[in-house]
Amino acid sequence: MAVLALLAWVVVLGQARGMGVEPGTMGLGLPLFLLLWVIMMVAMMFPSVAPVAVTWARSIGRGSAGAARAVRLTEFAGGYLLAWTAFGLLTYGILALTGSAVREHPDAGRWIGAGAFLLAGLQQLGPLKDVCLRHCRSPMAHLVRYAGFRPWARDLRVGIHHGLYCVGCCWGLMIVLIPLGVMNVLAMAALSVVIFVEKLWRLGPVFSLAVGAAFLALAVLAPFHPWLLPGLQAPQQPMPDTEHMKMLAGWQVGLVGHDG
């Protein structure tokens, strides 16, 4: 999983270099967006989900080995990513709506950004965050419960179940990519660190509250400081350079002379 996360970061960096940061879906169709979204989730989430994966792999190891164990681990990771893919569908719809709103009303971006930070802050401070974070930090009780699942597609269902808890824990952090930019590599890296620290540091819950307070502060500042919202800035049409303008002027003069 660590190797996959590293490879995913390489892909994300290469893709972000050619896309930039802009509102909306960045011109991507749904299938391509979901593919990129899954790669982003591998890069951002796999490091923090490692403790659960390792614990479940040990339990798998008692009853399987070799190729069978590899298949079961793949099912677990696939189920986990299915949960995030479902959230990616929702994210795509939100991006399409915000992109359209910003293109038609550029000033709407600051209020959309403030709303996103407000939602993220409230989620960080709310009870759902606490419940899901406790599951992600101490999954042993749930892993014992998973052992009682019926054998058919057990590992896939375990991955989906844990993935849904992870979505419940981190959806607010993903929402802030809308104002910060979905392909903003610095924002993705910062959020990855936040997720990792929340789940693995002994003071993770306290750190989570501090992050929530920071998001609420950004919600207050965003309407007055649009630079905080690079992902909601309407793209500016590039001005033609001087040589190009001279060339156009020359063509116009030539056409007028020819008509004369």
Side-chain angles (χ1 to χ4, degrees), residues 186-222:
L186 290 178
M188 282 190 283
L191 292 175
S192 299
V193 172
V194 170
I195 293 166
F196 188 85
V197 171
E198 280 185 345
K199 293 183 178 181
L200 301 183
W201 189 32
R202 64 183 183 87
L203 297 178
V206 177
F207 178 74
S208 177
L209 296 177
V211 172
F215 285 157
L216 292 180
L218 288 172
V220 174
L221 295 173

Short mmCIF file of all heavy atoms in Angstrom, two decimals, residues 186-222:
data_model
loop_
_atom_site.label_atom_id
_atom_site.label_comp_id
_atom_site.label_asym_id
_atom_site.label_seq_id
_atom_site.Cartn_x
_atom_site.Cartn_y
_atom_site.Cartn_z
N LEU A 186 -0.21 21.20 -3.31
CA LEU A 186 0.16 21.62 -1.96
C LEU A 186 -0.99 21.39 -0.99
O LEU A 186 -0.78 20.94 0.15
CB LEU A 186 0.58 23.09 -1.96
CG LEU A 186 1.91 23.42 -2.63
CD1 LEU A 186 2.17 24.92 -2.59
CD2 LEU A 186 3.06 22.67 -1.96
N ALA A 187 -2.22 21.70 -1.44
CA ALA A 187 -3.39 21.48 -0.59
C ALA A 187 -3.59 19.99 -0.33
O ALA A 187 -3.89 19.58 0.80
CB ALA A 187 -4.64 22.08 -1.24
N MET A 188 -3.42 19.17 -1.37
CA MET A 188 -3.57 17.72 -1.19
C MET A 188 -2.54 17.18 -0.20
O MET A 188 -2.85 16.35 0.66
CB MET A 188 -3.43 17.01 -2.53
CG MET A 188 -4.66 17.08 -3.41
SD MET A 188 -4.52 15.97 -4.83
CE MET A 188 -3.42 16.90 -5.87
N ALA A 189 -1.30 17.65 -0.32
CA ALA A 189 -0.25 17.18 0.58
C ALA A 189 -0.55 17.60 2.02
O ALA A 189 -0.38 16.80 2.95
CB ALA A 189 1.10 17.74 0.13
N ALA A 190 -1.00 18.85 2.21
CA ALA A 190 -1.32 19.32 3.55
C ALA A 190 -2.47 18.52 4.16
O ALA A 190 -2.42 18.13 5.34
CB ALA A 190 -1.68 20.81 3.51
N LEU A 191 -3.49 18.25 3.37
CA LEU A 191 -4.63 17.46 3.88
C LEU A 191 -4.21 16.03 4.18
O LEU A 191 -4.71 15.42 5.14
CB LEU A 191 -5.77 17.48 2.85
CG LEU A 191 -6.46 18.83 2.66
CD1 LEU A 191 -7.48 18.74 1.53
CD2 LEU A 191 -7.14 19.28 3.95
N SER A 192 -3.31 15.48 3.38
CA SER A 192 -2.81 14.13 3.66
C SER A 192 -2.12 14.07 5.01
O SER A 192 -2.29 13.10 5.77
CB SER A 192 -1.84 13.69 2.56
OG SER A 192 -2.47 13.66 1.31
N VAL A 193 -1.35 15.10 5.32
CA VAL A 193 -0.68 15.17 6.62
C VAL A 193 -1.70 15.27 7.73
O VAL A 193 -1.59 14.60 8.77
CB VAL A 193 0.31 16.36 6.66
CG1 VAL A 193 0.86 16.56 8.07
CG2 VAL A 193 1.44 16.13 5.67
N VAL A 194 -2.73 16.11 7.53
CA VAL A 194 -3.79 16.26 8.54
C VAL A 194 -4.46 14.91 8.80
O VAL A 194 -4.66 14.50 9.96
CB VAL A 194 -4.83 17.30 8.09
CG1 VAL A 194 -6.06 17.27 9.00
CG2 VAL A 194 -4.22 18.70 8.08
N ILE A 195 -4.82 14.20 7.74
CA ILE A 195 -5.49 12.90 7.88
C ILE A 195 -4.59 11.91 8.62
O ILE A 195 -5.03 11.19 9.52
CB ILE A 195 -5.88 12.36 6.49
CG1 ILE A 195 -6.96 13.24 5.87
CG2 ILE A 195 -6.36 10.91 6.58
CD1 ILE A 195 -7.18 13.01 4.39
N PHE A 196 -3.32 11.88 8.24
CA PHE A 196 -2.37 10.95 8.86
C PHE A 196 -2.22 11.25 10.36
O PHE A 196 -2.25 10.33 11.20
CB PHE A 196 -1.01 11.08 8.16
CG PHE A 196 0.00 10.05 8.58
CD1 PHE A 196 0.03 8.80 7.99
CD2 PHE A 196 0.92 10.35 9.58
CE1 PHE A 196 0.96 7.85 8.38
CE2 PHE A 196 1.86 9.40 9.97
CZ PHE A 196 1.88 8.15 9.37
N VAL A 197 -2.07 12.53 10.70
CA VAL A 197 -1.88 12.91 12.10
C VAL A 197 -3.14 12.63 12.91
O VAL A 197 -3.07 12.12 14.05
CB VAL A 197 -1.47 14.39 12.20
CG1 VAL A 197 -1.47 14.87 13.65
CG2 VAL A 197 -0.09 14.60 11.58
N GLU A 198 -4.31 12.97 12.37
CA GLU A 198 -5.56 12.72 13.07
C GLU A 198 -5.71 11.25 13.47
O GLU A 198 -6.14 10.94 14.58
CB GLU A 198 -6.75 13.10 12.18
CG GLU A 198 -7.07 14.56 12.12
CD GLU A 198 -8.33 14.83 11.32
OE1 GLU A 198 -8.79 13.92 10.59
OE2 GLU A 198 -8.86 15.95 11.43
N LYS A 199 -5.37 10.36 12.55
CA LYS A 199 -5.63 8.94 12.77
C LYS A 199 -4.54 8.23 13.57
O LYS A 199 -4.84 7.24 14.25
CB LYS A 199 -5.82 8.24 11.42
CG LYS A 199 -7.08 8.68 10.68
CD LYS A 199 -7.25 7.89 9.39
CE LYS A 199 -8.52 8.28 8.68
NZ LYS A 199 -8.72 7.51 7.43
N LEU A 200 -3.31 8.72 13.51
CA LEU A 200 -2.21 7.95 14.08
C LEU A 200 -1.54 8.62 15.29
O LEU A 200 -0.88 7.93 16.07
CB LEU A 200 -1.16 7.67 13.01
CG LEU A 200 -1.67 6.89 11.79
CD1 LEU A 200 -0.52 6.61 10.82
CD2 LEU A 200 -2.31 5.57 12.21
N TRP A 201 -1.65 9.93 15.45
CA TRP A 201 -1.03 10.59 16.59
C TRP A 201 -1.91 10.43 17.81
O TRP A 201 -3.15 10.45 17.72
CB TRP A 201 -0.83 12.07 16.27
CG TRP A 201 -0.01 12.82 17.27
CD1 TRP A 201 1.02 12.34 18.02
CD2 TRP A 201 -0.15 14.20 17.62
NE1 TRP A 201 1.54 13.33 18.82
CE2 TRP A 201 0.84 14.48 18.60
CE3 TRP A 201 -1.01 15.22 17.20
CZ2 TRP A 201 1.00 15.75 19.16
CZ3 TRP A 201 -0.86 16.48 17.75
CH2 TRP A 201 0.14 16.74 18.72
N ARG A 202 -1.30 10.29 18.98
CA ARG A 202 -2.09 10.08 20.20
C ARG A 202 -2.96 11.28 20.54
O ARG A 202 -3.99 11.15 21.20
CB ARG A 202 -1.17 9.75 21.38
CG ARG A 202 -0.21 10.84 21.78
CD ARG A 202 0.71 10.40 22.91
NE ARG A 202 1.60 11.48 23.35
CZ ARG A 202 1.27 12.38 24.27
NH1 ARG A 202 0.08 12.35 24.83
NH2 ARG A 202 2.13 13.33 24.61
N LEU A 203 -2.55 12.48 20.09
CA LEU A 203 -3.36 13.69 20.29
C LEU A 203 -4.16 14.04 19.03
O LEU A 203 -4.54 15.18 18.84
CB LEU A 203 -2.47 14.86 20.69
CG LEU A 203 -1.72 14.71 22.03
CD1 LEU A 203 -0.84 15.92 22.28
CD2 LEU A 203 -2.71 14.51 23.18
N GLY A 204 -4.41 13.03 18.19
CA GLY A 204 -5.13 13.26 16.95
C GLY A 204 -6.48 13.93 17.11
O GLY A 204 -6.81 14.87 16.37
N PRO A 205 -7.33 13.50 18.08
CA PRO A 205 -8.63 14.16 18.25
C PRO A 205 -8.52 15.64 18.60
O PRO A 205 -9.32 16.45 18.12
CB PRO A 205 -9.26 13.36 19.41
CG PRO A 205 -8.63 12.01 19.31
CD PRO A 205 -7.21 12.28 18.89
N VAL A 206 -7.53 16.00 19.41
CA VAL A 206 -7.32 17.41 19.74
C VAL A 206 -6.86 18.18 18.50
O VAL A 206 -7.33 19.29 18.23
CB VAL A 206 -6.29 17.55 20.88
CG1 VAL A 206 -6.01 19.03 21.18
CG2 VAL A 206 -6.77 16.83 22.12
N PHE A 207 -5.97 17.57 17.75
CA PHE A 207 -5.49 18.17 16.51
C PHE A 207 -6.66 18.38 15.54
O PHE A 207 -6.74 19.41 14.86
CB PHE A 207 -4.44 17.27 15.88
CG PHE A 207 -3.90 17.76 14.57
CD1 PHE A 207 -3.02 18.83 14.52
CD2 PHE A 207 -4.26 17.15 13.38
CE1 PHE A 207 -2.52 19.28 13.31
CE2 PHE A 207 -3.76 17.60 12.17
CZ PHE A 207 -2.88 18.66 12.13
N SER A 208 -7.58 17.43 15.49
CA SER A 208 -8.76 17.55 14.62
C SER A 208 -9.60 18.76 14.99
O SER A 208 -10.10 19.48 14.11
CB SER A 208 -9.59 16.27 14.72
OG SER A 208 -10.76 16.36 13.94
N LEU A 209 -9.76 19.01 16.29
CA LEU A 209 -10.53 20.18 16.73
C LEU A 209 -9.82 21.48 16.32
O LEU A 209 -10.47 22.44 15.90
CB LEU A 209 -10.71 20.14 18.24
CG LEU A 209 -11.54 18.99 18.80
CD1 LEU A 209 -11.58 19.04 20.32
CD2 LEU A 209 -12.96 19.01 18.23
N ALA A 210 -8.49 21.49 16.41
CA ALA A 210 -7.74 22.68 16.02
C ALA A 210 -7.89 22.95 14.53
O ALA A 210 -8.04 24.11 14.10
CB ALA A 210 -6.26 22.50 16.39
N VAL A 211 -7.88 21.89 13.72
CA VAL A 211 -8.08 22.05 12.27
C VAL A 211 -9.48 22.59 11.99
O VAL A 211 -9.67 23.47 11.14
CB VAL A 211 -7.86 20.71 11.55
CG1 VAL A 211 -8.26 20.81 10.08
CG2 VAL A 211 -6.40 20.28 11.66
N GLY A 212 -10.48 22.09 12.72
CA GLY A 212 -11.84 22.60 12.55
C GLY A 212 -11.94 24.08 12.87
O GLY A 212 -12.60 24.84 12.15
N ALA A 213 -11.28 24.51 13.94
CA ALA A 213 -11.28 25.94 14.29
C ALA A 213 -10.62 26.76 13.19
O ALA A 213 -11.07 27.87 12.86
CB ALA A 213 -10.58 26.14 15.62
N ALA A 214 -9.55 26.23 12.59
CA ALA A 214 -8.87 26.94 11.50
C ALA A 214 -9.79 27.07 10.30
O ALA A 214 -9.83 28.13 9.64
CB ALA A 214 -7.59 26.20 11.11
N PHE A 215 -10.57 26.04 9.99
CA PHE A 215 -11.50 26.11 8.87
C PHE A 215 -12.58 27.16 9.12
O PHE A 215 -12.98 27.89 8.20
CB PHE A 215 -12.15 24.75 8.63
CG PHE A 215 -11.24 23.75 7.96
CD1 PHE A 215 -11.48 22.39 8.09
CD2 PHE A 215 -10.16 24.14 7.20
CE1 PHE A 215 -10.66 21.46 7.47
CE2 PHE A 215 -9.32 23.23 6.58
CZ PHE A 215 -9.58 21.88 6.72
N LEU A 216 -13.07 27.25 10.35
CA LEU A 216 -14.08 28.26 10.67
C LEU A 216 -13.51 29.66 10.50
O LEU A 216 -14.20 30.57 10.02
CB LEU A 216 -14.60 28.05 12.09
CG LEU A 216 -15.41 26.77 12.33
CD1 LEU A 216 -15.87 26.70 13.79
CD2 LEU A 216 -16.62 26.70 11.40
N ALA A 217 -12.24 29.83 10.88
CA ALA A 217 -11.59 31.13 10.68
C ALA A 217 -11.48 31.46 9.19
O ALA A 217 -11.72 32.60 8.77
CB ALA A 217 -10.21 31.13 11.34
N LEU A 218 -11.15 30.46 8.39
CA LEU A 218 -11.06 30.68 6.94
C LEU A 218 -12.43 31.00 6.35
O LEU A 218 -12.52 31.77 5.39
CB LEU A 218 -10.48 29.43 6.27
CG LEU A 218 -8.99 29.19 6.49
CD1 LEU A 218 -8.58 27.83 5.93
CD2 LEU A 218 -8.15 30.29 5.83
N ALA A 219 -13.48 30.42 6.91
CA ALA A 219 -14.83 30.72 6.43
C ALA A 219 -15.17 32.19 6.63
O ALA A 219 -15.85 32.81 5.81
CB ALA A 219 -15.85 29.84 7.15
N VAL A 220 -14.68 32.76 7.73
CA VAL A 220 -14.92 34.18 7.99
C VAL A 220 -14.07 35.05 7.08
O VAL A 220 -14.53 36.10 6.58
CB VAL A 220 -14.61 34.49 9.48
CG1 VAL A 220 -14.70 36.00 9.74
CG2 VAL A 220 -15.56 33.73 10.39
N LEU A 221 -12.84 34.64 6.81
CA LEU A 221 -11.92 35.46 6.02
C LEU A 221 -12.15 35.35 4.52
O LEU A 221 -11.87 36.30 3.78
CB LEU A 221 -10.47 35.04 6.34
CG LEU A 221 -9.98 35.29 7.76
CD1 LEU A 221 -8.60 34.67 7.95
CD2 LEU A 221 -9.94 36.79 8.05
N ALA A 222 -12.66 34.21 4.06
CA ALA A 222 -12.73 33.94 2.62
C ALA A 222 -13.49 35.01 1.81
O ALA A 222 -13.03 35.40 0.74
CB ALA A 222 -13.34 32.56 2.38
#
